[in-house]
Amino acid sequence: MQDTKERIVSLADQLIKTRGYNAFSYKDISDPLEIKNAAIHYHFPTKTDLGIAVIDIEVERFILLSGKWATQPEDKQLKQLFETFNKKNKEGLVCLMGSLSPDYETFPSALQEKVTGMSSTFLNWTSECLEKGREKGLFHFDGDAYDRALLVMTNLLASLLLCRVMGNKVFSRITNQLLKDLNAGK
Amino acid sequence: MQDTKERIVSLADQLIKTRGYNAFSYKDISDPLEIKNAAIHYHFPTKTDLGIAVIDIEVERFILLSGKWATQPEDKQLKQLFETFNKKNKEGLVCLMGSLSPDYETFPSALQEKVTGMSSTFLNWTSECLEKGREKGLFHFDGDAYDRALLVMTNLLASLLLCRVMGNKVFSRITNQLLKDLNAGK
DNA sequence: GTCTATACCTTGATAGAC
DNA sequence: GTCTATCAAGGTATAGAC
């Protein structure tokens, strides 16, 4: 079956977002899927290959999603982004960037580059969204749009991490205030 | 020598902040200190005990430091906090919260509770600092001080993570804009 | 307080049959 | 494409000598 491969990636994705890249093993995948670890190695020769596949799909999915939002006004688009994080939070997951960046130094360079590329994608999208929204008067903030994107992304990323530790309500407190801030200057 | 114990904790602290809790091993400590792993187990029977000791010292150190700042005005105190993060960034480290929170689910409950306690300490301090500073007119921000503390802490925490991935300049971009924001309403 | 020695387990990965 | 079988390496942890 072709979709064994997809199920492997999907489970790896979830494991990375719950336990972290270095804390999950092939057994965590082969057991629930009722296959042997050799089957995983057939589809993904090394763990690095599997990690790369997880990132590729995440980026692919985001590009597809954000493309669908493109017709909406920028403030709605940003809320859609927030909603993707909210969904992860409800499922008890953190985002890939939040999970992978602490382990970054332990990665082979091929995987490191993928993490960097993914981060760029998210930051550039957010930056453009903020900039265009400000031009239309939908957002109000000072300074460079990319700097503002850095602030927003770090809020989102770390809010999921903090929810793990301090409880789920942290997320809505952060995002509600953040959205207010972006319109505050009105 | 009594300070073997201290050197073990210090090295563990650094390893957690560079490679992550689940990615460092007793060998990473015993080799550079030129001791055997049994010596580590003498001081810290389990890896969990070692992790707890690292957190305890971090909190202890913060309480000591922030106590020294207490005579300064709140805007200076906050800048001191930023400076502790800046120092970590220059050393290529992330903060303990940023490193430990993604692995939270893999921890035994004793270690989880320590992580939660540490986060509370940092958040409460920041919240009080912001609140008092606002009363004195040193800060200008909307909403609840604790919510604002959540925003500031997530910015700081994730800025170090993002520096790993996107380069070191990210830190100053984030903190400069953040400090401007807190005074912007003036 | 540190050592040697070792137990025991899990890890990622490979070879070859089917 | 999946299996069985196996590997070498590395992980945490313990017992007992010094």
Side-chain angles (χ1 to χ4, degrees), chain A residues 8-51:
Chain A
I8 292 169
V9 180
S10 171
L11 194 45
D13 176 80
Q14 218 177 11
L15 284 164
I16 290 174
K17 288 169 180 168
T18 47
R19 307 177 55 78
Y21 182 85
N22 286 319
F24 89 89
S25 75
Y26 277 54
K27 194 168 158 53
D28 296 324
I29 294 176
S30 57
D31 277 356
L33 294 189
E34 289 175 306
I35 55 176
K36 300 298 164 184
N37 76 353
I40 307 176
H41 279 285
Y42 169 79
H43 293 288
F44 303 98
T46 70
K47 195 178 179 182
T48 301
D49 295 318
L50 180 50

mmCIF file of all heavy atoms in Angstrom, chain A residues 8-51:
data_model
loop_
_atom_site.group_PDB
_atom_site.id
_atom_site.type_symbol
_atom_site.label_atom_id
_atom_site.label_comp_id
_atom_site.label_asym_id
_atom_site.label_seq_id
_atom_site.Cartn_x
_atom_site.Cartn_y
_atom_site.Cartn_z
ATOM 1 N N ILE A 8 3.383 6.743 8.030
ATOM 2 C CA ILE A 8 4.639 6.870 8.767
ATOM 3 C C ILE A 8 4.961 8.348 8.998
ATOM 4 O O ILE A 8 5.262 8.770 10.118
ATOM 5 C CB ILE A 8 5.802 6.187 8.011
ATOM 6 C CG1 ILE A 8 5.608 4.669 8.002
ATOM 7 C CG2 ILE A 8 7.139 6.541 8.647
ATOM 8 C CD1 ILE A 8 6.556 3.930 7.067
ATOM 9 N N VAL A 9 4.880 9.131 7.933
ATOM 10 C CA VAL A 9 5.195 10.558 8.062
ATOM 11 C C VAL A 9 4.235 11.240 9.024
ATOM 12 O O VAL A 9 4.632 12.042 9.875
ATOM 13 C CB VAL A 9 5.145 11.262 6.694
ATOM 14 C CG1 VAL A 9 5.478 12.742 6.845
ATOM 15 C CG2 VAL A 9 6.123 10.631 5.730
ATOM 16 N N SER A 10 2.972 10.892 8.894
ATOM 17 C CA SER A 10 1.955 11.523 9.733
ATOM 18 C C SER A 10 2.189 11.240 11.214
ATOM 19 O O SER A 10 2.084 12.127 12.068
ATOM 20 C CB SER A 10 0.574 11.020 9.314
ATOM 21 O OG SER A 10 -0.394 11.455 10.236
ATOM 22 N N LEU A 11 2.554 9.994 11.505
ATOM 23 C CA LEU A 11 2.809 9.630 12.896
ATOM 24 C C LEU A 11 4.099 10.270 13.393
ATOM 25 O O LEU A 11 4.173 10.738 14.545
ATOM 26 C CB LEU A 11 2.867 8.104 13.022
ATOM 27 C CG LEU A 11 2.806 7.503 14.421
ATOM 28 C CD1 LEU A 11 1.727 8.168 15.264
ATOM 29 C CD2 LEU A 11 2.555 6.007 14.339
ATOM 30 N N ALA A 12 5.112 10.297 12.541
ATOM 31 C CA ALA A 12 6.370 10.947 12.912
ATOM 32 C C ALA A 12 6.131 12.419 13.219
ATOM 33 O O ALA A 12 6.661 12.960 14.199
ATOM 34 C CB ALA A 12 7.397 10.807 11.781
ATOM 35 N N ASP A 13 5.310 13.046 12.402
ATOM 36 C CA ASP A 13 4.954 14.448 12.614
ATOM 37 C C ASP A 13 4.353 14.653 14.000
ATOM 38 O O ASP A 13 4.765 15.547 14.745
ATOM 39 C CB ASP A 13 3.946 14.873 11.535
ATOM 40 C CG ASP A 13 3.440 16.290 11.723
ATOM 41 O OD1 ASP A 13 4.165 17.217 11.330
ATOM 42 O OD2 ASP A 13 2.336 16.452 12.260
ATOM 43 N N GLN A 14 3.419 13.788 14.343
ATOM 44 C CA GLN A 14 2.777 13.913 15.647
ATOM 45 C C GLN A 14 3.755 13.646 16.794
ATOM 46 O O GLN A 14 3.732 14.319 17.824
ATOM 47 C CB GLN A 14 1.601 12.931 15.720
ATOM 48 C CG GLN A 14 0.419 13.498 16.459
ATOM 49 C CD GLN A 14 -0.758 12.542 16.464
ATOM 50 O OE1 GLN A 14 -0.641 11.374 16.093
ATOM 51 N NE2 GLN A 14 -1.904 13.027 16.897
ATOM 52 N N LEU A 15 4.617 12.652 16.604
ATOM 53 C CA LEU A 15 5.582 12.314 17.655
ATOM 54 C C LEU A 15 6.565 13.447 17.887
ATOM 55 O O LEU A 15 6.919 13.752 19.031
ATOM 56 C CB LEU A 15 6.330 11.027 17.270
ATOM 57 C CG LEU A 15 5.528 9.738 17.440
ATOM 58 C CD1 LEU A 15 6.177 8.593 16.679
ATOM 59 C CD2 LEU A 15 5.385 9.379 18.915
ATOM 60 N N ILE A 16 7.007 14.080 16.800
ATOM 61 C CA ILE A 16 7.926 15.208 16.944
ATOM 62 C C ILE A 16 7.251 16.328 17.721
ATOM 63 O O ILE A 16 7.850 16.965 18.586
ATOM 64 C CB ILE A 16 8.390 15.713 15.562
ATOM 65 C CG1 ILE A 16 9.317 14.688 14.916
ATOM 66 C CG2 ILE A 16 9.099 17.066 15.676
ATOM 67 C CD1 ILE A 16 9.726 15.029 13.493
ATOM 68 N N LYS A 17 5.974 16.543 17.429
ATOM 69 C CA LYS A 17 5.251 17.651 18.068
ATOM 70 C C LYS A 17 4.803 17.342 19.494
ATOM 71 O O LYS A 17 4.330 18.240 20.196
ATOM 72 C CB LYS A 17 4.029 18.029 17.218
ATOM 73 C CG LYS A 17 4.408 18.744 15.929
ATOM 74 C CD LYS A 17 3.210 18.874 14.994
ATOM 75 C CE LYS A 17 3.600 19.592 13.704
ATOM 76 N NZ LYS A 17 2.546 19.488 12.671
ATOM 77 N N THR A 18 4.914 16.096 19.904
ATOM 78 C CA THR A 18 4.577 15.781 21.292
ATOM 79 C C THR A 18 5.813 15.476 22.125
ATOM 80 O O THR A 18 5.967 16.004 23.224
ATOM 81 C CB THR A 18 3.620 14.574 21.385
ATOM 82 O OG1 THR A 18 4.097 13.519 20.542
ATOM 83 C CG2 THR A 18 2.224 14.964 20.949
ATOM 84 N N ARG A 19 6.711 14.652 21.595
ATOM 85 C CA ARG A 19 7.851 14.196 22.389
ATOM 86 C C ARG A 19 9.178 14.804 21.954
ATOM 87 O O ARG A 19 10.164 14.744 22.689
ATOM 88 C CB ARG A 19 7.956 12.674 22.335
ATOM 89 C CG ARG A 19 6.659 11.960 22.723
ATOM 90 C CD ARG A 19 6.791 10.446 22.583
ATOM 91 N NE ARG A 19 7.915 9.894 23.335
ATOM 92 C CZ ARG A 19 7.913 9.685 24.640
ATOM 93 N NH1 ARG A 19 6.865 9.972 25.349
ATOM 94 N NH2 ARG A 19 8.970 9.186 25.236
ATOM 95 N N GLY A 20 9.236 15.358 20.779
ATOM 96 C CA GLY A 20 10.491 15.921 20.293
ATOM 97 C C GLY A 20 11.239 14.954 19.392
ATOM 98 O O GLY A 20 11.077 13.741 19.490
ATOM 99 N N TYR A 21 12.044 15.497 18.514
ATOM 100 C CA TYR A 21 12.726 14.685 17.506
ATOM 101 C C TYR A 21 13.642 13.626 18.123
ATOM 102 O O TYR A 21 13.628 12.467 17.731
ATOM 103 C CB TYR A 21 13.546 15.595 16.584
ATOM 104 C CG TYR A 21 14.268 14.867 15.471
ATOM 105 C CD1 TYR A 21 13.616 14.568 14.285
ATOM 106 C CD2 TYR A 21 15.593 14.471 15.612
ATOM 107 C CE1 TYR A 21 14.269 13.895 13.261
ATOM 108 C CE2 TYR A 21 16.255 13.803 14.592
ATOM 109 C CZ TYR A 21 15.597 13.513 13.417
ATOM 110 O OH TYR A 21 16.245 12.845 12.411
ATOM 111 N N ASN A 22 14.434 14.024 19.092
ATOM 112 C CA ASN A 22 15.399 13.077 19.669
ATOM 113 C C ASN A 22 14.768 12.082 20.636
ATOM 114 O O ASN A 22 15.429 11.151 21.070
ATOM 115 C CB ASN A 22 16.521 13.845 20.373
ATOM 116 C CG ASN A 22 17.473 14.487 19.392
ATOM 117 O OD1 ASN A 22 17.833 13.885 18.375
ATOM 118 N ND2 ASN A 22 17.882 15.723 19.669
ATOM 119 N N ALA A 23 13.532 12.290 20.984
ATOM 120 C CA ALA A 23 12.896 11.433 21.986
ATOM 121 C C ALA A 23 11.970 10.386 21.371
ATOM 122 O O ALA A 23 11.456 9.548 22.083
ATOM 123 C CB ALA A 23 12.121 12.275 22.999
ATOM 124 N N PHE A 24 11.757 10.441 20.076
ATOM 125 C CA PHE A 24 10.930 9.380 19.484
ATOM 126 C C PHE A 24 11.821 8.394 18.727
ATOM 127 O O PHE A 24 12.900 8.745 18.272
ATOM 128 C CB PHE A 24 9.829 9.958 18.583
ATOM 129 C CG PHE A 24 10.225 10.157 17.146
ATOM 130 C CD1 PHE A 24 10.064 9.128 16.227
ATOM 131 C CD2 PHE A 24 10.731 11.366 16.714
ATOM 132 C CE1 PHE A 24 10.422 9.299 14.894
ATOM 133 C CE2 PHE A 24 11.091 11.540 15.391
ATOM 134 C CZ PHE A 24 10.936 10.514 14.479
ATOM 135 N N SER A 25 11.344 7.164 18.651
ATOM 136 C CA SER A 25 12.124 6.119 18.005
ATOM 137 C C SER A 25 11.286 5.409 16.945
ATOM 138 O O SER A 25 10.068 5.582 16.882
ATOM 139 C CB SER A 25 12.596 5.103 19.033
ATOM 140 O OG SER A 25 11.522 4.274 19.421
ATOM 141 N N TYR A 26 11.954 4.623 16.135
ATOM 142 C CA TYR A 26 11.245 3.855 15.103
ATOM 143 C C TYR A 26 10.204 2.931 15.714
ATOM 144 O O TYR A 26 9.173 2.647 15.100
ATOM 145 C CB TYR A 26 12.259 3.058 14.270
ATOM 146 C CG TYR A 26 12.903 3.880 13.177
ATOM 147 C CD1 TYR A 26 13.543 5.086 13.461
ATOM 148 C CD2 TYR A 26 12.852 3.460 11.855
ATOM 149 C CE1 TYR A 26 14.117 5.837 12.455
ATOM 150 C CE2 TYR A 26 13.427 4.208 10.840
ATOM 151 C CZ TYR A 26 14.054 5.396 11.146
ATOM 152 O OH TYR A 26 14.612 6.140 10.138
ATOM 153 N N LYS A 27 10.468 2.476 16.909
ATOM 154 C CA LYS A 27 9.503 1.595 17.580
ATOM 155 C C LYS A 27 8.193 2.324 17.878
ATOM 156 O O LYS A 27 7.120 1.713 17.835
ATOM 157 C CB LYS A 27 10.125 1.092 18.893
ATOM 158 C CG LYS A 27 9.390 -0.072 19.523
ATOM 159 C CD LYS A 27 10.235 -0.676 20.650
ATOM 160 C CE LYS A 27 9.399 -1.466 21.648
ATOM 161 N NZ LYS A 27 8.544 -2.484 21.026
ATOM 162 N N ASP A 28 8.298 3.628 18.164
ATOM 163 C CA ASP A 28 7.090 4.418 18.432
ATOM 164 C C ASP A 28 6.203 4.513 17.190
ATOM 165 O O ASP A 28 5.029 4.857 17.280
ATOM 166 C CB ASP A 28 7.464 5.839 18.884
ATOM 167 C CG ASP A 28 8.206 5.851 20.205
ATOM 168 O OD1 ASP A 28 7.877 5.007 21.066
ATOM 169 O OD2 ASP A 28 9.112 6.684 20.388
ATOM 170 N N ILE A 29 6.791 4.247 16.034
ATOM 171 C CA ILE A 29 6.026 4.276 14.793
ATOM 172 C C ILE A 29 5.597 2.878 14.384
ATOM 173 O O ILE A 29 4.445 2.645 14.025
ATOM 174 C CB ILE A 29 6.857 4.921 13.657
ATOM 175 C CG1 ILE A 29 7.090 6.396 13.976
ATOM 176 C CG2 ILE A 29 6.161 4.770 12.320
ATOM 177 C CD1 ILE A 29 7.980 7.103 12.975
ATOM 178 N N SER A 30 6.541 1.925 14.458
ATOM 179 C CA SER A 30 6.250 0.569 13.959
ATOM 180 C C SER A 30 5.197 -0.136 14.813
ATOM 181 O O SER A 30 4.364 -0.858 14.267
ATOM 182 C CB SER A 30 7.539 -0.250 13.911
ATOM 183 O OG SER A 30 8.161 -0.299 15.176
ATOM 184 N N ASP A 31 5.207 0.085 16.107
ATOM 185 C CA ASP A 31 4.228 -0.582 16.983
ATOM 186 C C ASP A 31 2.789 -0.194 16.652
ATOM 187 O O ASP A 31 1.987 -1.076 16.340
ATOM 188 C CB ASP A 31 4.545 -0.302 18.461
ATOM 189 C CG ASP A 31 5.610 -1.244 19.013
ATOM 190 O OD1 ASP A 31 6.027 -2.149 18.270
ATOM 191 O OD2 ASP A 31 6.025 -1.061 20.169
ATOM 192 N N PRO A 32 2.426 1.080 16.705
ATOM 193 C CA PRO A 32 1.029 1.418 16.428
ATOM 194 C C PRO A 32 0.588 1.123 14.994
ATOM 195 O O PRO A 32 -0.573 0.802 14.772
ATOM 196 C CB PRO A 32 0.949 2.925 16.720
ATOM 197 C CG PRO A 32 2.338 3.410 16.810
ATOM 198 C CD PRO A 32 3.196 2.256 17.162
ATOM 199 N N LEU A 33 1.502 1.209 14.048
ATOM 200 C CA LEU A 33 1.142 0.913 12.663
ATOM 201 C C LEU A 33 1.196 -0.590 12.376
ATOM 202 O O LEU A 33 0.873 -1.031 11.270
ATOM 203 C CB LEU A 33 2.076 1.658 11.694
ATOM 204 C CG LEU A 33 1.989 3.186 11.682
ATOM 205 C CD1 LEU A 33 2.808 3.756 10.531
ATOM 206 C CD2 LEU A 33 0.544 3.664 11.580
ATOM 207 N N GLU A 34 1.639 -1.340 13.366
ATOM 208 C CA GLU A 34 1.764 -2.805 13.238
ATOM 209 C C GLU A 34 2.594 -3.204 12.024
ATOM 210 O O GLU A 34 2.177 -4.042 11.216
ATOM 211 C CB GLU A 34 0.369 -3.453 13.214
ATOM 212 C CG GLU A 34 -0.309 -3.392 14.570
ATOM 213 C CD GLU A 34 -1.735 -3.919 14.559
ATOM 214 O OE1 GLU A 34 -2.521 -3.416 13.726
ATOM 215 O OE2 GLU A 34 -2.060 -4.786 15.374
ATOM 216 N N ILE A 35 3.745 -2.559 11.927
ATOM 217 C CA ILE A 35 4.737 -2.958 10.927
ATOM 218 C C ILE A 35 6.068 -3.149 11.649
ATOM 219 O O ILE A 35 6.153 -2.927 12.856
ATOM 220 C CB ILE A 35 4.895 -1.889 9.817
ATOM 221 C CG1 ILE A 35 5.220 -0.522 10.442
ATOM 222 C CG2 ILE A 35 3.635 -1.797 8.962
ATOM 223 C CD1 ILE A 35 5.481 0.583 9.445
ATOM 224 N N LYS A 36 7.095 -3.571 10.942
ATOM 225 C CA LYS A 36 8.416 -3.733 11.547
ATOM 226 C C LYS A 36 9.287 -2.529 11.215
ATOM 227 O O LYS A 36 9.029 -1.839 10.228
ATOM 228 C CB LYS A 36 9.073 -5.024 11.033
ATOM 229 C CG LYS A 36 8.281 -6.265 11.353
ATOM 230 C CD LYS A 36 8.155 -6.457 12.867
ATOM 231 C CE LYS A 36 7.060 -7.463 13.188
ATOM 232 N NZ LYS A 36 6.850 -7.615 14.651
ATOM 233 N N ASN A 37 10.289 -2.302 12.031
ATOM 234 C CA ASN A 37 11.103 -1.106 11.802
ATOM 235 C C ASN A 37 11.810 -1.158 10.448
ATOM 236 O O ASN A 37 12.076 -0.124 9.841
ATOM 237 C CB ASN A 37 12.067 -0.859 12.959
ATOM 238 C CG ASN A 37 13.259 -1.778 12.968
ATOM 239 O OD1 ASN A 37 13.340 -2.718 12.187
ATOM 240 N ND2 ASN A 37 14.196 -1.522 13.862
ATOM 241 N N ALA A 38 12.066 -2.349 9.943
ATOM 242 C CA ALA A 38 12.691 -2.463 8.615
ATOM 243 C C ALA A 38 11.809 -1.843 7.533
ATOM 244 O O ALA A 38 12.318 -1.327 6.540
ATOM 245 C CB ALA A 38 12.977 -3.926 8.291
ATOM 246 N N ALA A 39 10.503 -1.925 7.734
ATOM 247 C CA ALA A 39 9.582 -1.331 6.755
ATOM 248 C C ALA A 39 9.734 0.184 6.722
ATOM 249 O O ALA A 39 9.636 0.805 5.658
ATOM 250 C CB ALA A 39 8.146 -1.716 7.092
ATOM 251 N N ILE A 40 9.975 0.770 7.883
ATOM 252 C CA ILE A 40 10.190 2.220 7.916
ATOM 253 C C ILE A 40 11.480 2.576 7.187
ATOM 254 O O ILE A 40 11.514 3.515 6.393
ATOM 255 C CB ILE A 40 10.254 2.740 9.368
ATOM 256 C CG1 ILE A 40 9.012 2.282 10.147
ATOM 257 C CG2 ILE A 40 10.359 4.263 9.386
ATOM 258 C CD1 ILE A 40 9.055 2.664 11.614
ATOM 259 N N HIS A 41 12.507 1.775 7.438
ATOM 260 C CA HIS A 41 13.793 2.046 6.785
ATOM 261 C C HIS A 41 13.708 1.873 5.272
ATOM 262 O O HIS A 41 14.498 2.448 4.539
ATOM 263 C CB HIS A 41 14.885 1.135 7.363
ATOM 264 C CG HIS A 41 15.441 1.614 8.662
ATOM 265 N ND1 HIS A 41 16.311 2.679 8.759
ATOM 266 C CD2 HIS A 41 15.232 1.200 9.929
ATOM 267 C CE1 HIS A 41 16.625 2.878 10.031
ATOM 268 N NE2 HIS A 41 15.980 1.997 10.773
ATOM 269 N N TYR A 42 12.778 1.061 4.819
ATOM 270 C CA TYR A 42 12.594 0.933 3.379
ATOM 271 C C TYR A 42 12.121 2.273 2.785
ATOM 272 O O TYR A 42 12.636 2.736 1.771
ATOM 273 C CB TYR A 42 11.580 -0.170 3.052
ATOM 274 C CG TYR A 42 11.162 -0.168 1.595
ATOM 275 C CD1 TYR A 42 11.979 -0.714 0.615
ATOM 276 C CD2 TYR A 42 9.956 0.413 1.210
ATOM 277 C CE1 TYR A 42 11.601 -0.699 -0.713
ATOM 278 C CE2 TYR A 42 9.570 0.429 -0.120
ATOM 279 C CZ TYR A 42 10.400 -0.124 -1.076
ATOM 280 O OH TYR A 42 10.027 -0.097 -2.395
ATOM 281 N N HIS A 43 11.160 2.905 3.451
ATOM 282 C CA HIS A 43 10.619 4.169 2.940
ATOM 283 C C HIS A 43 11.543 5.349 3.254
ATOM 284 O O HIS A 43 11.665 6.275 2.453
ATOM 285 C CB HIS A 43 9.239 4.419 3.539
ATOM 286 C CG HIS A 43 8.197 3.446 3.086
ATOM 287 N ND1 HIS A 43 7.674 3.457 1.820
ATOM 288 C CD2 HIS A 43 7.608 2.407 3.729
ATOM 289 C CE1 HIS A 43 6.776 2.488 1.695
ATOM 290 N NE2 HIS A 43 6.721 1.834 2.848
ATOM 291 N N PHE A 44 12.169 5.296 4.432
ATOM 292 C CA PHE A 44 13.057 6.386 4.858
ATOM 293 C C PHE A 44 14.347 5.773 5.393
ATOM 294 O O PHE A 44 14.406 5.395 6.568
ATOM 295 C CB PHE A 44 12.376 7.241 5.929
ATOM 296 C CG PHE A 44 11.060 7.808 5.487
ATOM 297 C CD1 PHE A 44 9.871 7.198 5.844
ATOM 298 C CD2 PHE A 44 11.005 8.945 4.679
ATOM 299 C CE1 PHE A 44 8.642 7.708 5.425
ATOM 300 C CE2 PHE A 44 9.792 9.462 4.258
ATOM 301 C CZ PHE A 44 8.603 8.837 4.632
ATOM 302 N N PRO A 45 15.351 5.690 4.544
ATOM 303 C CA PRO A 45 16.597 4.992 4.917
ATOM 304 C C PRO A 45 17.149 5.441 6.263
ATOM 305 O O PRO A 45 17.609 4.612 7.037
ATOM 306 C CB PRO A 45 17.550 5.363 3.774
ATOM 307 C CG PRO A 45 16.661 5.613 2.610
ATOM 308 C CD PRO A 45 15.397 6.212 3.172
ATOM 309 N N THR A 46 17.114 6.741 6.543
ATOM 310 C CA THR A 46 17.628 7.209 7.832
ATOM 311 C C THR A 46 16.575 8.067 8.531
ATOM 312 O O THR A 46 15.612 8.539 7.920
ATOM 313 C CB THR A 46 18.905 8.062 7.659
ATOM 314 O OG1 THR A 46 18.547 9.311 7.062
ATOM 315 C CG2 THR A 46 19.940 7.353 6.799
ATOM 316 N N LYS A 47 16.789 8.273 9.804
ATOM 317 C CA LYS A 47 15.861 9.097 10.578
ATOM 318 C C LYS A 47 15.864 10.529 10.045
ATOM 319 O O LYS A 47 14.828 11.205 10.057
ATOM 320 C CB LYS A 47 16.259 9.074 12.059
ATOM 321 C CG LYS A 47 15.177 9.600 12.991
ATOM 322 C CD LYS A 47 15.613 9.518 14.464
ATOM 323 C CE LYS A 47 14.532 10.081 15.386
ATOM 324 N NZ LYS A 47 14.941 10.064 16.810
ATOM 325 N N THR A 48 17.012 10.957 9.562
ATOM 326 C CA THR A 48 17.108 12.284 8.955
ATOM 327 C C THR A 48 16.160 12.414 7.764
ATOM 328 O O THR A 48 15.467 13.432 7.617
ATOM 329 C CB THR A 48 18.550 12.567 8.504
ATOM 330 O OG1 THR A 48 19.415 12.486 9.645
ATOM 331 C CG2 THR A 48 18.671 13.937 7.868
ATOM 332 N N ASP A 49 16.123 11.385 6.933
ATOM 333 C CA ASP A 49 15.212 11.410 5.784
ATOM 334 C C ASP A 49 13.767 11.569 6.235
ATOM 335 O O ASP A 49 12.984 12.289 5.606
ATOM 336 C CB ASP A 49 15.350 10.120 4.967
ATOM 337 C CG ASP A 49 16.729 9.983 4.342
ATOM 338 O OD1 ASP A 49 17.240 10.998 3.836
ATOM 339 O OD2 ASP A 49 17.301 8.870 4.374
ATOM 340 N N LEU A 50 13.435 10.889 7.309
ATOM 341 C CA LEU A 50 12.075 10.980 7.828
ATOM 342 C C LEU A 50 11.787 12.393 8.355
ATOM 343 O O LEU A 50 10.724 12.966 8.081
ATOM 344 C CB LEU A 50 11.884 9.945 8.941
ATOM 345 C CG LEU A 50 10.525 9.871 9.623
ATOM 346 C CD1 LEU A 50 9.388 9.782 8.623
ATOM 347 C CD2 LEU A 50 10.485 8.684 10.592
ATOM 348 N N GLY A 51 12.757 12.952 9.070
ATOM 349 C CA GLY A 51 12.585 14.314 9.579
ATOM 350 C C GLY A 51 12.395 15.314 8.448
ATOM 351 O O GLY A 51 11.533 16.204 8.528
#
